[in-house]
Amino acid sequence: QVQLVESGGGLVQAGGSLKLSCAASGRTFSSYAMAWFRQAPGKEREFVAGVSWSNEITWYADSVKGRFTISRDNAKNTVYLQMNSLKPEDTAVYYCAAAPRVSGGSRSTKTYVYWGQGTQVTVSS
């Protein structure tokens, strides 16, 4: 089993930046594709960004492309989400997730079998 713990959430003004981190433990971190999802109140959980096990391939939701950057540091067992030019619409609980034996590309919650507890991101106007 993989344990994931997010950190870095908080309150930020529109146009600002925030960097989320997700520390992984339990199994070999480098064997997993990693992704960030988010869920706003009354909305279904949606894909935000993903990164392959090699850190060479990334994929993003259209709504965040050009503003968010996902990366991973396998030596530190950590995945990051750098969020720039934040908008109030980005307000949500952000979750990191891990998918075993997947090179990358998936946007489905069903693919990611391990989840963190989530961290709240609130963007004010």
Side-chain angles (χ1 to χ4, degrees):
Q1 186 177 354
V2 171
Q3 293 80 46
L4 305 173
V5 180
E6 302 97 333
S7 62
L11 176 64
V12 64
Q13 290 187 313
S17 297
L18 205 61
K19 188 174 184 178
L20 306 182
S21 299
C22 178
S25 63
R27 300 188 72 178
T28 304
F29 177 73
S30 61
S31 299
Y32 294 80
M34 301 293 295
W36 288 94
F37 290 76
R38 67 187 182 187
Q39 188 166 22
K43 304 292 185 180
E44 66 182 11
R45 191 167 299 187
E46 66 174 353
F47 169 81
V48 176
V51 60
S52 67
W53 58 267
S54 68
N55 202 24
E56 296 179 352
I57 303 172
T58 58
W59 56 104
Y60 297 90
D62 289 341
S63 59
V64 307
K65 194 173 298 182
R67 299 189 297 121
F68 291 10
T69 302
I70 187 172
S71 63
R72 67 191 296 165
D73 186 340
N74 288 341
K76 297 181 178 180
N77 291 342
T78 303
V79 63
Y80 306 95
L81 185 67
Q82 177 66 52
M83 304 184 292
N84 298 325
S85 302
L86 282 162
K87 306 174 181 179
E89 306 92 274
D90 296 319
T91 295
V93 176
Y94 283 70
Y95 300 88
C96 67
R101 295 176 291 278
V102 174
S103 295
S106 178
R107 297 166 175 253
S108 173
T109 58
K110 299 295 184 181
T111 301
Y112 300 90
V113 297
Y114 301 111
W115 296 83
Q117 83 288 347
T119 186
Q120 177 70 48
V121 173
T122 302
V123 184
S124 66
S125 60

